[in-house]
Amino acid sequence: MSETDKTTCFEPWNEVGKKPLIEFRGVSKKFGALTAIDNVSFNIYEREFFALLGPSGCGKTTLMRMLGGFETPSQGQIFIDGKDISTIPANQRSVNMMFQSYALFPHLTVADNIAFGLKRSDMPKSEIAGRVDEMIKLVQLGNLGGRKPHQISGGQRQRVALARSLAKAPKLLLLDEPLGALDKKLRQETQFELVDIQEKLGTTFVIVTHDQEEAMTVSSRIGIMDQGKLIQIDTPDRIYEAPNSVRVADFIGDVNLIEGNATTTADDKVIISWAEGQPTLTAQTTTNITDGAKVTFAIRPEKIAMTTDKPTDASNAIEGHIHDIAYLGNVSIYKVRLSSGHMIKAQAANTRRLSRRNYTWEDKVWLSWTDTAGIVLTK
Amino acid sequence: MKKIMLSLMASLMVSTSVASAAEVRVYNWSDYIDEDLIEKFEAETGDKLIYDVFDTNELLETKLLAGSSGYDVVVPSASFMERQIKIGVFQKLDYSQLPNGKNLWDLIKQRTAKYDPDNAYSINYMWGTTGIGVNIAKVKEVLGDDAPIDSLALIFDPKNMEKLSACGVHLLDAPGEMIPAALQYIGEFADSKDPEVIKKTEAVFEAIRPYVTKFHSSEYVNALANGDICVAFGYSGDILQARDRADEADNGVEIAYNAAKEGAVMWFDQMAIPADAPNPEGAHKFLNFMMDANNMAAASNYVYYANGNLASQEFLEDDITGDTAIYPTEATLKNLFTTTAYGSKEQRTVTRLWTKIKSGT
Amino acid sequence: MNFRKYLLILIPYTWLLLLFLVPFIIVVKMSLSDTEMAIPPYYPYFTLSEGWQGIVNFFSELDFENYVFLAEDNLYWKAYLSSLKIALISTAFTLLIGYPIAYGMANAPPEWRPTLMMIIILPFWTSFLIRIYAWMGILSQEGFLNQFLLWTGIIDQPLTILNTNIAVYIGIVYTYLPFMILPIYASLEKLDISLLEAAKDLGCNRSQSFWLVTMPLSKAGVIAGCFLVFIPVLGEFVIPDLLGGADTLMIGTILWQEFFANRDWPVASAVAVVLLLLLMIPIILFQRSEQKQREAEQ
């Protein structure tokens, strides 16, 4: 499965006239004096794997719980399939949720947990056992159907929870930090499985997570939330490569943020003067920037090249000393101190063994990048 | 019941602490003394007086039979004391230590000698009768002005009881009092120990059972005083206490006590010293103190029971000596009879019969 | 290491031995003796002074006569049955009243819960006897309840409640309610709220999620509460004595009567032994369910 293939062939949000499965229209939610959700409007389309990403307390869980019917909006409307969901009680929506704590019924076996929702539906009794088996196979639970939740591992419980929430074949599945309780290796494996299952079933998934890597891995689009607002909705690559604000850039991955004053040129370029005694930076931009505006230049550490000698052909080159090195195995992060006091992070792949490393502490280095490597942000 | 619990607890404390020579431990009925006398005794003798209370003979007896009660003076009823003396529960009194013994009333001594020959083991503390207490107004309202308030027929005639049940009747939960009264009512020998004779009372009680509000040995005091019930068959002093409480409360309840004209049980509460008393000398001191004319009069003035102390009578208040419910007239006195304790087997028969009467099982 | 381990186990076992087993053996021994008017009022006694022969004599005097007696008189099994009935009915009522209270407490805002808990425990601060006496004041003919009902005009004649079995049930349910509420509350409070949300999410309405999730998950609390009420009520003596009428037949009252009125310590002991055996059945069941619960939680 490849991320790029998916984004090129599946982009319902770009299709004109495509009807969304879910539509938030000016939704706000207040808890007393606290505004948890602040005037949010966006759409989620059928078969999407939509991630709501943000720091804890940003309102992403509240947003999802409104979809599940556990909270009601203070203002605005939410539509599923064009119907205002405030008219449908939670237990009659074709929406199911996988809870962060899994919320498995401890007194019921795995099979009974999975069958729980089916028994409440109008599915004939004779078909329920078959459907449960199908679900157990889907999440690869083998012969654990007769066990109680406390008799299986955390990873297996996560699968039971997933199977249970999918058993009723909902139009929309909500996943609240579904992998949060798993260790990192298991989490990564499960992320891919989750994507496989979602593609196989074609169910629309909405996942809430604070783990950006998880969001990037599984989702077709990510909605970044901060303080009750959706600050950017875009595909994972766009979110990473083209954040629309300092906050998004800062939240997703590692980034160097350099504040300065912009001077526009005729050919869509911006010249940024940012510190006394430092060369100006040149960057390409598509956004309209007025002359002399305050801007932030954002550049990812891996986009910065590091050389001992000054590169001759680079659009941007600055000089500094290596202040610190963080060895991460496959890559190393170099913190380079400039004469102006700024600290710039650069990343280099460790293609050579550590003992043969080129750079070490206090080495004088040149940092360089092309004029398309970074992005100029005004927000 | 609360009193039982309290006294159980108190006696537990007694038996766990070591008695010292300067302590006198007395176990008496609840509400049965002027408490000022306790301080007076301590002041006069310098001994410490520990005073605990009980409210059934059965409880006292159980404690005495278990042994090592730790008490120096106990106050059983004469009928219970009789058998207790026989199995050696008490020690003989040393009358040389009891100079105030001269104050005792021969009339009462003669009667108590039936239980304790020569009064060798006990002296009388107080005595009284078992009879009928009525809320005059309510009973007259139900039965008319000629209601037989001084007759056993009031409680044993189903026709009366049927009407009285509307305003409430309490009988003593004490077969030893109730069965002799029933026997007296049907003209049998009241103190009979013959099981066949005793069984005859079953029919008497069965006929009135549906109309009895409760069988209980102490609740009637409050119930009568509050006007919750209109008739109680109980102990003279208790009913007089209810009368006084009603007077104090000024609630319009007027209570009268009568020993039944057919004949009533006369009972005696006797002071005696257990054989294993830790401080028999102190016990004698206490008995002598209580036999003082002034002290005994103070006790009677407080609890409204007659005592067996002739010399105390000049110090009694007029409303006690003048009340025929407390000090009966010569004629009534002749009509009073005494009962004796049941043997083990008879006791079981009587208890079983009583349970059957009460619960129908 | 081993020694310390044994010492730790030894302490509770010594406790059990001294405070349960030894008294129980004494009671069993007494139940096999004969009543006698003496100090103490039964025979034989155990004396070591007569040596081996004394011990042989002692055991040869013991017999099951008193148990035969209990079996022959219908009073006793009727009293046991009546106690069982009263205990079962009052346990059921305590559950019916206690469960909603515990449920309400567990669903109250967290800041209220300590206060509510306090209200439940508060009666324990007053003597149990005084509270029962207060009920006598409430239930009597001239009591608050009758006065109130007369005042509202619901009744025009005072109701006779005191000294009937109804008063006994009221007294028992009132007294033992906290013992029902507290374990149920403890199990309901532990209940993960997301389980109820999951039930709702999977299509349950309120009553379905109660019966399918809340109820089964509070089962342990319900069982504990029922036993905590049932076991002591079976042998209850004070409440039937004070609030009940003459026809309130309970084994606790019979026991008192045998001991105090009949002075028949051996028969009283036999009644107590049979009561204990009867109580063992629910206690063993209770232990089993506790054990199952523990295993389930591992």
Side-chain angles (χ1 to χ4, degrees), chain C residues 249-267:
Chain C
L249 194 61
M250 281 193 83
I251 201 65
T253 332
I254 296 291
L255 187 62
W256 192 93
Q257 214 170 59
E258 286 300 336
F259 197 74
F260 289 98
N262 289 351
R263 290 182 317 281
D264 196 335
W265 293 20
V267 167

Side-chain angles (χ1 to χ4, degrees), chain C residues 120-235:
Chain C
I120 299 296
I121 297 173
L122 204 64
F124 285 118
W125 291 9
T126 331
S127 156
F128 156 68
L129 278 160
I130 288 173
R131 285 182 280 137
I132 295 299
Y133 267 90
W135 272 108
M136 292 170 70
I138 295 168
L139 299 177
S140 75
Q141 292 262 306
E142 318 273 317
F144 297 123
L145 182 66
N146 271 317
Q147 282 179 9
F148 176 74
L149 291 177
L150 286 168
W151 175 74
T152 54
I154 295 172
I155 53 170
D156 51 9
Q157 280 289 312
L159 301 170
T160 307
I161 303 171
L162 189 62
N163 304 330
T164 65
N165 277 355
I166 296 171
V168 175
Y169 285 123
I170 292 175
I172 290 175
V173 169
Y174 163 77
T175 307
Y176 288 94
L177 200 56
F179 296 101
M180 184 64 88
I181 293 175
L182 294 179
I184 296 177
Y185 169 70
S187 65
L188 284 175
E189 200 201 17
K190 275 195 297 189
L191 190 74
D192 185 356
I193 193 91
S194 66
L195 290 179
L196 296 175
E197 288 185 342
K200 187 176 168 192
D201 184 68
L202 294 166
C204 285
N205 57 31
R206 271 172 159 267
S207 87
Q208 280 173 322
S209 24
F210 178 80
W211 290 109
L212 294 167
V213 180
T214 312
M215 200 59 199
L217 289 177
S218 56
K219 205 176 75 190
V222 170
I223 291 173
C226 284
F227 280 116
L228 283 176
V229 173
F230 180 80
I231 292 169
V233 169
L234 196 58

Side-chain angles (χ1 to χ4, degrees), chain B residues 54-327:
Chain B
F54 60 89
D55 68 357
T56 66
N57 266 308
E58 286 81 3
L59 188 72
L60 171 64
E61 182 166 86
T62 302
K63 216 176 278 271
L64 290 171
L65 293 184
S68 312
S69 67
Y71 289 107
D72 298 308
V73 176
V74 294
V75 191
S77 295
S79 57
F80 279 77
M81 186 187 66
E82 185 185 5
R83 65 185 176 208
Q84 290 160 3
I85 290 173
K86 283 181 190 148
I87 58 167
V89 168
F90 301 113
Q91 54 179 274
K92 278 197 168 169
L93 299 180
D94 177 4
Y95 273 94
S96 69
Q97 291 182 50
L98 303 170
N100 285 336
K102 64 181 191 309
N103 292 338
L104 294 181
W105 190 3
D106 280 337
L107 182 92
I108 300 299
K109 272 173 95 171
Q110 280 159 20
R111 298 223 179 188
T112 57
K114 185 179 169 193
Y115 307 98
D116 174 13
D118 299 333
N119 292 287
Y121 291 90
S122 67
I123 58 152
N124 180 254
Y125 177 56
M126 299 210 189
W127 59 273
T129 54
T130 310
I132 306 157
V134 290
N135 180 330
I136 300 169
K138 277 200 181 174
V139 169
K140 285 192 172 165
E141 187 189 315
V142 177
L143 292 178
D145 283 345
D146 54 351
I149 59 168
D150 60 348
S151 166
L152 289 173
L154 187 74
I155 57 165
F156 287 124
D157 186 340
K159 275 184 280 190
N160 290 333
M161 285 293 282
E162 190 178 354
K163 291 173 188 154
L164 289 171
S165 70
C167 57
V169 178
H170 272 200
L171 299 184
L172 284 172
D173 187 11
E177 302 285 351
M178 295 309 302
I179 288 174
L183 288 171
Q184 187 78 14
Y185 175 68
I186 57 174
E188 292 283 347
F189 175 46
D191 198 22
S192 175
K193 303 289 182 254
D194 181 349
E196 293 308 312
V197 176
I198 291 171
K199 281 207 173 115
K200 288 184 182 172
T201 60
E202 189 179 337
V204 178
F205 284 106
E206 236 162 43
I208 59 162
R209 174 67 194 87
Y211 313 121
V212 177
T213 313
K214 190 165 192 178
F215 292 91
H216 202 280
S217 295
S218 56
E219 270 175 29
Y220 63 90
V221 182
N222 275 328
L224 206 53
N226 293 344
D228 282 347
I229 57 171
C230 58
V231 173
F233 189 78
Y235 304 110
S236 52
D238 281 353
I239 289 167
L240 295 174
Q241 217 174 57
R243 181 186 70 187
D244 291 348
R245 281 191 206 173
D247 282 350
E248 275 168 34
D250 202 17
N251 57 1
V253 174
E254 199 191 333
I255 290 159
Y257 173 80
N258 284 290
K261 64 180 183 201
E262 291 88 347
V265 172
M266 187 182 188
W267 49 262
F268 308 90
D269 284 338
Q270 300 288 103
M271 286 190 155
I273 305 175
D276 54 4
N279 184 5
E281 194 197 335
H284 280 91
K285 267 196 241 174
F286 182 75
L287 293 191
N288 198 47
F289 172 82
M290 285 312 299
M291 280 190 285
D292 176 83
N294 269 306
N295 293 343
M296 199 60 228
S300 277
N301 282 336
Y302 189 80
V303 300
Y304 283 79
Y305 274 110
N307 62 49
N309 194 310
L310 189 64
S312 75
Q313 290 184 9
E314 67 172 293
F315 303 109
L316 288 176
E317 280 161 21
D318 288 345
D319 64 336
I320 290 178
T321 46
D323 191 337
T324 53
I326 302 174
Y327 280 95

Side-chain angles (χ1 to χ4, degrees), chain A residues 20-201:
Chain A
L21 178 69
I22 297 159
E23 190 183 354
F24 278 75
R25 233 182 255 169
V27 172
S28 293
K29 174 73 187 175
K30 284 183 180 141
F31 294 105
L34 182 92
T35 305
I37 304 292
D38 189 2
N39 192 20
V40 165
S41 301
F42 71 105
N43 298 334
I44 297 173
Y45 295 87
E46 213 166 304
R47 303 177 69 91
E48 253 204 281
F49 201 138
F50 191 92
L52 282 165
L53 181 64
S56 56
C58 67
K60 58 188 190 296
T61 302
T62 309
L63 205 60
M64 183 162 83
R65 286 173 60 84
M66 287 198 285
L67 276 175
F70 304 114
E71 310 282 359
T72 46
S74 308
Q75 265 171 6
Q77 286 164 298
I78 304 169
F79 298 89
I80 295 185
D81 254 352
K83 272 189 232 155
D84 187 338
I85 59 168
S86 63
T87 59
I88 318 163
N91 55 358
Q92 285 164 29
R93 298 179 190 180
S94 186
V95 175
N96 282 118
M97 178 149 163
M98 185 186 153
F99 291 82
Q100 184 174 9
S101 63
Y102 307 148
L104 297 181
F105 303 120
H107 57 296
L108 299 179
T109 61
V110 166
D112 284 341
N113 262 284
I114 297 172
F116 191 91
L118 299 173
K119 286 182 183 164
R120 259 21 86 196
S121 69
D122 45 16
M123 180 179 273
K125 268 196 177 155
S126 51
E127 289 171 29
I128 290 179
R131 177 69 178 162
V132 170
D133 282 345
E134 200 181 310
M135 282 297 126
I136 287 180
K137 269 197 206 97
L138 178 74
V139 298
Q140 300 166 31
L141 275 169
N143 49 4
L144 297 179
R147 300 265 187 98
K148 290 274 182 73
H150 60 86
Q151 292 167 320
I152 57 177
S153 72
Q156 288 163 340
R157 266 177 244 169
Q158 186 266 344
R159 284 155 194 273
V160 178
L162 181 64
R164 185 180 70 178
S165 52
L166 283 170
K168 286 176 86 175
K171 276 188 193 156
L172 172 65
L173 180 71
L174 308 170
L175 303 105
D176 186 3
E177 304 271 9
L179 310 173
L182 305 182
D183 61 63
K184 194 173 179 193
K185 204 163 161 38
L186 190 57
R187 193 159 68 220
Q188 283 170 341
E189 285 169 21
T190 316
Q191 281 163 9
F192 287 108
E193 273 178 52
L194 211 52
V195 174
D196 280 345
I197 289 171
Q198 194 260 344
E199 291 195 332
K200 199 189 276 174
L201 299 177

Side-chain angles (χ1 to χ4, degrees), chain C residues 1-20:
Chain C
M1 188 59 211
N2 251 343
F3 173 73
R4 274 180 54 186
K5 206 169 83 188
Y6 282 123
L7 191 72
L8 272 176
I9 301 171
L10 207 64
I11 295 168
Y13 274 88
T14 315
W15 182 265
L16 263 180
L17 188 79
L18 285 179
L19 292 168
F20 176 73

